[in-house]
Amino acid sequence: RENKINTSPVMMTLMTPAGSESTTTAVVGGAAGRMPTRRAGSSAPRAARSGSGSLLAAALVPLLAVLLAVSSAPRGASAQMACNGIPNRGWLSGFLGTRVHPTFLFGPSGLHGQTSQQPSSSTLFSVQVQRPLDSAATYTYYPGRNYTIALNCGANECAFLATVEEGARGTSGEEKWRGTFLDPPMNKRNGVSGLEYSGRANVYGAATSGTTLSKQYPIVWQAPAALTYTPLTLRVTAVVDETTLCPGLYKEIPLTSEVVCGDSVKDPMEGCDDGNGVNGDGCNNGCVIELGWTCAEYFPGTAKSKCTQATLKFEPVSGVVSVEEGYQTTYNVSLTTYLAPNTFVNVLVMLKQNTPDQSVSVLGNSDFRFFPDGASAWNVPQTVTLTAKDNDMIDSVRNGTLQHVVSSTDPNYVFVNTGVSSPIVTVTVTDNDVPGLVVSKKALRVDENGLSDSYSILLSTQPMPGSTVFVKITTPSVNQLLINPPQVPFSSANWNQPQVISVFSLDNEIIDGEVITTLVHEVRNAVEGLDQAYSTLNTTACCTVTVTVGDNDSPGIAVIPRVLSIAEGKTGTYIIKANTQPAYNVTINLTASGGLRATAADGRSSVTIERLKWDTTHTVTVEAIDNEQVNSVWGLPSAGLVTHSVGSVDPEYDALNRSLAAPWTVSVTMADDDVAAVRRPEAITVTEGPVPSEMQLSLPTMPKSKVKLYMALNDTSYLLIEGDDVGREGAGDALKLVVVWEVAQWKETRLVKVRRGANDDTDSGERTTFISYAVESDDTSYAALAIGPTTVTVKDDDTAGVTVSPVSGFTLTEGGASSEVKVNLNTRPQLTADLKSRTVTVRLAHDAQVTVTPAEIVFLRANFSTVGVFTVRAVDDIKIEEPEHLSLLRLEIVTDDPQYAKVVVPDKRVTIVDNESDRAVTRMGKWGGVVSLTVPYGAVILSVPPGALPGDTELSLREWQKPLDAGLAGPEIQLGERGEVRVRRVSGTYVFLPHGIQFATPVSIAIEYDEESAKVAGAKLYMLVSMNSTNGPWEMVEGATFANGIASVRSSHFSTYY
C-alpha cells in the first residue's frame, strides 16, 4: 500500500432531491472542508469528510458522492458507528506512518477527529512536561536531559501522535524534528514495555494496539545533546475514545533553552559568554570562541568571558620608534595571548618597499620564534635592533615602515597576516644634515692688466633627488669684474665636487686706483619648493668673497681698430677715445695718405675730446677714393695710412706725441673695384623692316692704351651690322667690323646698328643668331678679356594667314542659288632648302546640308595672292526641318610651311532656308488614303479608310508645334476644372482641317512621341485634343493607345492633337 496524500483536486456537485434546501460543491483530494446540508426527513447535520490520503480512498470519493446524491437513504443517529472498538482505534495509524499531524477529518469513514492544528481547550485531553523526579511543570530544556511528558485523557482511552519540532506550525517537518523519544525501559504502561512506535526516535504515538492504548501516557523525551539556543515546540494530536463524538484534539507547549548566549554567564556547554551577541570581538553570537582569539574568565570566580585577540604586542605600545641618521634604536615584540601546547609562532621583521631610500634596516636577528612557555614564551619580549642609514642629504624627518610576517602552528595566530596588512612598526628617522655652501677662498686679487684669480664652491649636503640647486655669483661692481661662470648648478650627482669660479678685472680706462669689492652667492632651486632646505639658505655670513682690483689706467688715447679693409668708393670707420679724463680739451689731428680720406663726424679732419665728456667715443670715417682705373695696370697703391697727432694744454696729453704709442697709425687695405670689361647687351631683338635695332658698347675703366673691339655675325644671310662708330678692316672674306676707344675716349659710348638685310613678303617666323666679340689692346687687363656673345632674336613683319570672303556667314535656300567663298594667302610660302616653293592646300570641309566645289585650292609662292573660289550650294532634301537651320564650313589648311601650319581660320556659318512646307494638303475621295508631312512617313500620319468620305474632299494637316529634342519635355499645363491634372508635352502638335468634318467610318491618327521625354515628364501618357482652337481648352482623349513611341487614336471628326 502506498501511503501518501493525493493532492489532485476533483470537483463534483452533490444534488439534493426535490424539496432540499441547498446544493453543495466539494473539492476531493485537497484540504477537506465541511459544508452543512439538510436531508429530507432529518434535522441533524452530518459531516462530509475527505479521505485519509490513500489513492484508493481518493479514487472512490467521486463515486461515493454520486451514490450519495442519487441512492442513499437517511438514517438516524442511533445508526452511527461507535468509536471505542478495537478496529476503530487505528485512526492515527496512518499519521504515525507519515509522521505528520493531521489537519482534517480522519476517523472511521472520514467522519471524526478534525483538529486543523489549532490548540484545543478541551478538558478531555491535557499535556504536561515535567523534570525527572520533579512534578513541577516547566517550559525549558537543557541539552541531553530527559523530560517526562504526561498525556492525560481523563476517563477515556485515547490514541495520540507526539513530536518536538523547531519552527512554526505548518512549516515544520522531518528536517525540523528535535530530540529523541525513549522506548523501553523508560516508556512503559502497566509494566508493558513500549508504545506503538513509529520507527523513528523523534516521533512517538499510540494508535491501534489494544495493549498500548491508555488513559494516561508517561512519555520520556530526551533533549538534543548538542547545545542550541533555538526555541522548540511540543506538538500532540489525540483522538479520545468517546462513544458519540470521538473528538480530535491538538495541543502544543513551547520549550525554551535553559542556556542563554549573551547573558554574561558562561555555561559549561558554551565556549564563552561575553555578555553580548556581537561577532568579531572574540566570542560570536553563538557563544563560540572565534578563530584568532582566546577567552577566559573576565575576573577570577566570575562566569563572564574576557576575550583577547591573538596578535603581536609592541613596546613602545604606540608602535612608533625614533632614530637619528647613523644611530641605532630598539623595540620589543611579544604575543598578546597564550599559545596552544606544542605550537609556536615565527615573526619575520622586514622593511616595506615604500620606505624612502631604504634608510632603515634590521641589525642582527630579524627572525624571532615564540613558544607556549620557557625562555621564549609567548609573553617574554624579544628585542629588535634597528639602524638608520646616514646620508648627506637634507631629507628632514622621514618615516620607514617595518612589517612583521607571522607564521604559526597555532591556528589562532595563522590569521595574524590576514586583512589589509601585516602588523607594522613605524620608524621615524630624524635628519642630521645641515644645508650649506663651502667656499675654498675668502679673498681674491685681480688687476686691469689681466691678472685673474679663482676659487671653488661646493655644497655641504646632497640635494633632494630630482632637485637642482643653482648658485648664482654676483658683484656690486659689475663694471669692474667678470665672473665665469656666473651660475653653477648642483645636483645629487655633483653636489660634493668643487666647481671652479674664475674672476677677471675689466679694464675701465679710468684712473680709479685700487678698488675692493665683493662676490655674493645666491642659492635657489630650479623648481621652487622642491628642496626647501636650500631654498631658504642664507649665504651672506658664510660665503662672501672679497676681491681687490688693481688699476692700470694712465693718460692716453685709444684708437680701435688699427687695421681696416675698404673697397674703392666705400668707407670704413674706427673710434678714438681718451683713456683718462684730461685737464683740458684735447684735439686729435687726422692725416690720411695713399688714396684715402679721413674725416670726423662733423666733416673736419680732427677730433676734439672735451674735458667733461672725455669718455665719449668719437667715430672717424675713412673713404677709399674711387679712381676708375685698374690699380695693378696703372701702378697705383693698394694700401694707405691714417696717422694721428695730439694737441692740448694738458701737459700729460700733449706729451703723448713723444710716446711710443704715437702716431697711433691705422693701416687701411684698399680692394680695387675696377675691372676691365666691355659693357654690351646680352640680347637684342631685330624686327624685319627699315628701322634697325641699336646697341650701346662702352668701357667701365680707363685703359692704359687703345682698345679695339671686333664684332662678327654668326649668320650674315639676313642680318647686317652698320653705324657711324663701326669701322671696317680688310676686304672680302677678311673684312672685320671694329669699334675703337682711344685712351682719352674711354668714357664715350659706341653705337652699333643691326638690321634685317632684305624686307620680303614671306613669313619666315622668329629666328635666333648671335654676335661674337674679340678685344685687342696693349693694356694687359683688356687684352686678356673673354667677352660673351650678344643673342639676336629676329622677328618677321609678315604674318602668314588666309583671307576669306565673305567675312561673315551667308544664307542659302534648299534647291536655290549658290554662293561663293573666295580665299587667298596673305604671304608667300617659305622656300625649301633647295629653294623651291612650299605648298599650301586649302579645303572647305562641310556637312551633308551643302555641297562645295572644287574640293581644294593649291597655293604656291607664285600664286599666293591669286583669289581662289569655292562654290557652295544647299542640298535640296525632302525632310521637313526648321524653316532656317545651320551648317558650318570649316577651312582646313594642309601644308609643309611651318608658319601656315599654325594658321587657324574661323568657321563660316551658313543659314539654310528649308523649302519643305509644314502643311500637307490632299484631295481624296471615297477610296480614302494617307496624309503625312514627310516622305517617308514620320512624326504624324492620317489614315482615311475607304468609304469614310462621301466624295472628293480636300484634307489639310499642319504642324503647329514641332517635336521637342530627345529627353526634353514641354512646360507644365493644368487640366480639369480645378487644375487637378498636370501634364507636359512630349510630341509635336498638329492641326487637322477642316474642323467639324464628319467621317462615315472613323479615321486613324498616329503621332510619334519621344519615350525618353515621357520618362522625364512622368510615368503616364495622355493624348490631348482641342476641339476649336490650338490654344485649348484641352481634353484627354479616350481610347488612345501608346506603344513603341507611337500614340494612336480613331476619330470620326477633326481636331488639334498632341
Side-chain angles (χ1 to χ4, degrees), residues 249-527:
L249 304 174
Y250 172 80
K251 291 185 182 292
E252 61 181 32
I253 296 177
L255 304 176
T256 58
S257 174
E258 289 185 17
V259 181
V260 178
C261 179
D263 61 353
S264 298
V265 177
K266 178 186 174 300
D267 189 88
M269 295 291 290
E270 295 177 310
C272 59
D273 193 323
D274 59 357
N276 64 59
V278 178
N279 292 330
D281 59 356
C283 186
N284 68 12
N285 59 5
C287 286
V288 177
I289 300 175
E290 295 175 309
L291 190 59
W293 294 75
T294 61
C295 296
E297 291 182 350
Y298 199 91
F299 297 107
T302 65
K304 185 177 181 180
S305 301
K306 176 184 179 182
C307 300
T308 304
Q309 188 174 16
T311 184
L312 302 184
K313 177 181 179 182
F314 300 112
E315 296 176 0
V317 178
S318 63
V320 178
V321 296
S322 298
V323 61
E324 185 179 337
E325 283 183 359
Y327 292 89
Q328 299 176 7
T329 189
T330 61
Y331 68 93
N332 294 331
V333 61
S334 59
L335 306 184
T336 57
T337 188
Y338 58 84
L339 291 172
N342 300 318
T343 62
F344 68 87
V345 170
N346 199 78
V347 180
L348 176 62
V349 184
M350 57 190 300
L351 190 66
K352 289 193 74 171
Q353 292 302 314
N354 64 348
T355 299
D357 197 29
Q358 301 293 297
S359 57
V360 178
S361 60
V362 179
L363 187 63
N365 183 35
S366 61
D367 198 352
F368 303 91
R369 180 165 291 191
F370 296 90
F371 296 94
D373 51 28
S376 299
W378 63 274
N379 56 353
V380 177
Q382 298 191 43
T383 301
V384 181
T385 303
L386 305 176
T387 181
K389 179 181 178 182
D390 194 7
N391 61 20
D392 296 310
M393 186 186 305
I394 302 172
D395 41 15
S396 187
V397 175
R398 58 197 186 278
N399 292 325
T401 303
L402 297 174
Q403 63 181 2
H404 301 73
V405 181
V406 179
S407 58
S408 177
T409 56
D410 185 327
N412 278 333
Y413 281 92
V414 170
F415 294 93
V416 170
N417 293 330
T418 62
V420 178
S421 61
S422 301
I424 63 171
V425 167
T426 301
V427 183
T428 300
V429 182
T430 57
D431 195 8
N432 62 356
D433 299 302
V434 178
L437 180 67
V438 179
V439 179
S440 64
K441 293 166 64 175
K442 292 296 187 72
L444 304 177
R445 183 173 185 84
V446 298
D447 64 36
E448 295 180 4
N449 287 323
L451 176 66
S452 63
D453 205 345
S454 64
Y455 67 102
S456 64
I457 60 174
L458 54 85
L459 301 184
S460 61
T461 59
Q462 184 179 9
M464 295 293 290
S467 172
T468 301
V469 175
F470 289 93
V471 178
K472 183 179 181 181
I473 305 98
T474 59
T475 177
S477 303
V478 293
N479 295 324
Q480 289 185 311
L481 295 180
L482 176 65
I483 304 168
N484 185 33
Q487 180 172 275
V488 177
F490 287 102
S491 65
S492 58
N494 71 339
W495 65 276
N496 57 353
Q497 299 174 10
Q499 305 296 310
V500 177
I501 310 299
S502 298
V503 182
F504 304 86
S505 173
L506 297 175
D507 191 352
N508 58 11
E509 300 177 352
I510 299 175
I511 306 173
D512 48 8
E514 190 172 85
V515 176
I516 297 177
T517 186
T518 58
L519 300 179
V520 178
H521 301 78
E522 177 187 355
V523 179
R524 62 182 182 86
N525 281 339
V527 178

